Amino acid sequence: MYELMAWLEGSALADFLRGLGIWTYGLLNLGHILGIGSLFGAILLLDLKLMGLWRSIPAASLIRPTVPLAAIGFALAATSGIMMLSFNTTEYHGNPFIYAKFPIIVVGLANVAIIQRLGAWRRAAAGAPAASGDRTVLAIFGALSLLIWTSVIACGRLIGYW
Ligand code: HEM
């Protein structure tokens, strides 16, 4: 792990970013926060809907805007995050919160891939009538997603306190 961290810290990307000036890290952090805000804002709405809130709003009406917004937010958070990490990667060596954060992100992405393959999700996204059990399945995946992404945010925030 340390070797990988040292490689990122010594990479051409890291050299380039560090050479851009004193505002670079702050602006990347701003990008990270905007990405997290878009990702989590979209996911919060979607997951609460999957968990049974706002019954009068069709799931498809929320799925349509929130899924692309979450994807854009994730792309922004991941890009800015890798760039921030490259500034002084080896300083994070041994930090349990950064070691926990990445596997949890992987679990979160796996959860997205799985839910989108479920019949319950496909019916909901297409606005088709729900089959029996759909509500429970979607509520379980929605709750899981909320737990996962809240944990990612908690780990991200706690990195700096270790
Ligand atoms: C590949 C993806 C990511 C990388 C490499 C990454 C990397 C980082 C780094 C290096 C920091 C600064 C830690 C510090 O020194 O305090 C950070 C902060 C943070 N990250 Fe990420 N991150 C990624 C994705 C995410 C995602 C998807 C989320 C949320 C869903 C997230 C949430 C946070 C939070 C809440 C902070 C604290 C921000 C602050 O207090 O200014 N990160 N991340």
Side-chain angles (χ1 to χ4, degrees):
M1 184 55 79
Y2 186 84
E3 286 73 21
L4 187 64
M5 288 175 142
W7 171 82
L8 182 60
E9 192 172 281
S11 67
L13 171 75
D15 276 347
F16 170 74
L17 290 170
R18 282 190 294 262
L20 285 179
I22 54 164
W23 289 99
T24 313
Y25 190 90
L27 290 172
L28 288 171
N29 204 1
L30 174 64
H32 206 55
I33 296 294
L34 291 175
I36 295 161
S38 309
L39 168 68
F40 194 73
I43 271 177
L44 183 61
L45 275 180
L46 181 57
D47 287 346
L48 290 177
K49 170 68 191 160
L50 295 180
M51 289 164 73
L53 259 74
W54 310 302
R55 289 263 154 84
S56 62
I57 303 174
S61 305
L62 267 181
I63 288 174
R64 214 170 299 126
T66 52
V67 170
L69 187 58
I72 291 168
F74 179 80
L76 186 55
T79 313
S80 53
I82 290 167
M83 290 182 184
M84 282 159 66
L85 191 61
S86 75
F87 264 71
N88 46 5
T89 325
T90 50
E91 279 182 23
Y92 296 110
H93 181 61
N95 187 319
F97 296 109
I98 206 146
Y99 289 154
K101 182 174 165 178
F102 296 125
I104 303 173
I105 290 177
V106 172
V107 173
L109 295 176
N111 188 54
V112 172
I114 292 167
I115 195 173
Q116 294 196 347
R117 278 165 183 74
L118 298 175
W121 171 272
R122 291 191 176 176
R123 281 186 285 279
S132 101
D134 278 5
R135 254 191 206 170
T136 313
V137 170
L138 292 177
I140 290 171
F141 275 87
L144 205 60
S145 162
L146 211 49
L147 179 70
I148 292 166
W149 293 108
T150 306
S151 307
V152 175
I153 291 185
C155 286
R157 191 69 267 264
L158 290 172
I159 290 168
Y161 289 92
W162 179 256

